[in-house]
Amino acid sequence: MRKITVLSMISLDGVMQAPGGPREDTSGGFKYGGWTAAYSDEAFGKAMMEELKPADYLLGRKTFKIFAGYWPEHGDFWPAINEGAKYVFSKNLKKSDPMVTGWKHSAVIKTVADLKKLKQSKGRDIQVWGSGELVQLLLKHDLVDELRLKIYPLTLGKGKKLFGNGAVPAAFSLTDHVVTSKGVIIASYKRAGKIKTGNVEI
């Protein structure tokens, strides 16, 4: 069985939309694209390089389109994204689409059953970058083994959020964390069974 890790940059109010640039995703009238730009430092760069090590990748259609239009020509920085297997989750995208055939090692999967089959297969662990709707679907079906979150010290008000209303109740344990000089919390949370409840003693 493969481990599925969700990697996401989020604001304090949970927004994950367009962290990388002003034109990345303006849907819904989002005006703050590139909101992570002012927060890089040495600790952040070190954490990022760790995340760019070889893996396989599961992406939503919109994120796949953004990646496919950029990374094939910028592989010197992130060779693993071009060499790893890439699975794009889309009900409408065809495996013969030029966007898929034009980026090597890419394939289309269409159903939750396909996601479960992929997780049960042999191979490298799988990373999910961006892909908000896909992440919510994975959380709904309890298919996420680890959350790797970069939590930024700002609120954005509106925008696409990482967690929707459909996530299955689940416990996670903190396995690693770094706080950068710019106040970004980089934290890894591993799936840890069911939620435990009880009375809070004072």
Side-chain angles (χ1 to χ4, degrees):
M1 181 184 295
R2 306 209 228 178
K3 181 176 76 173
I4 295 180
T5 299
V6 168
L7 301 98
S8 186
M9 301 174 178
I10 62 172
S11 63
L12 289 175
D13 54 342
V15 175
M16 63 176 295
Q17 187 170 351
R23 295 183 296 276
E24 183 178 345
D25 181 1
T26 58
S27 60
F30 190 69
K31 300 178 181 179
Y32 300 105
W35 49 270
T36 65
Y39 294 92
S40 295
D41 67 358
E42 184 177 350
F44 184 89
K46 183 177 180 180
M48 280 296 299
M49 293 309 297
E50 184 68 24
E51 294 172 354
L52 301 184
K53 290 182 177 179
D56 287 345
Y57 306 91
L58 174 61
L59 306 169
R61 181 183 57 80
K62 293 178 182 178
T63 300
F64 183 88
K65 182 178 180 181
I66 293 169
F67 277 29
Y70 183 83
W71 287 114
E73 304 301 324
H74 298 83
D76 290 346
F77 180 77
W78 190 9
I81 191 64
N82 289 323
E83 296 303 322
K86 292 165 287 290
Y87 304 93
V88 52
F89 183 80
S90 173
K91 295 180 179 179
N92 300 316
L93 193 63
K94 297 180 179 179
K95 63 181 180 180
S96 60
D97 189 287
M99 184 171 66
V100 178
T101 59
W103 197 11
K104 62 182 180 179
H105 312 309
S106 297
V108 178
I109 56 176
K110 294 181 175 291
T111 67
V112 172
D114 291 335
L115 292 172
K116 293 179 178 179
K117 185 176 180 180
L118 176 63
K119 181 172 172 54
Q120 294 291 333
S121 67
K122 294 181 179 180
R124 289 174 172 168
D125 287 340
I126 298 167
Q127 293 183 350
V128 183
W129 292 75
S131 309
E133 292 182 12
L134 171 60
V135 170
Q136 292 183 12
L137 183 66
L138 293 169
L139 289 168
K140 180 179 179 179
H141 292 276
D142 200 12
L143 295 174
V144 176
D145 298 287
E146 183 178 2
L147 295 167
R148 174 80 168 173
L149 304 181
K150 300 177 186 69
I151 306 165
Y152 286 76
L154 76 170
T155 57
L156 293 169
K158 296 182 178 179
K160 297 176 182 177
K161 297 195 174 184
L162 178 64
F163 298 102
N165 295 323
V168 64
F172 288 81
S173 60
L174 181 68
T175 59
D176 190 22
H177 71 283
V178 173
V179 181
T180 75
S181 66
K182 300 292 185 69
V184 180
I185 300 170
I186 303 172
S188 294
Y189 298 92
K190 183 179 180 180
R191 186 71 171 84
K194 296 181 179 180
I195 294 174
K196 298 178 181 180
T197 63
N199 293 315
V200 178
E201 297 183 5
I202 300 176

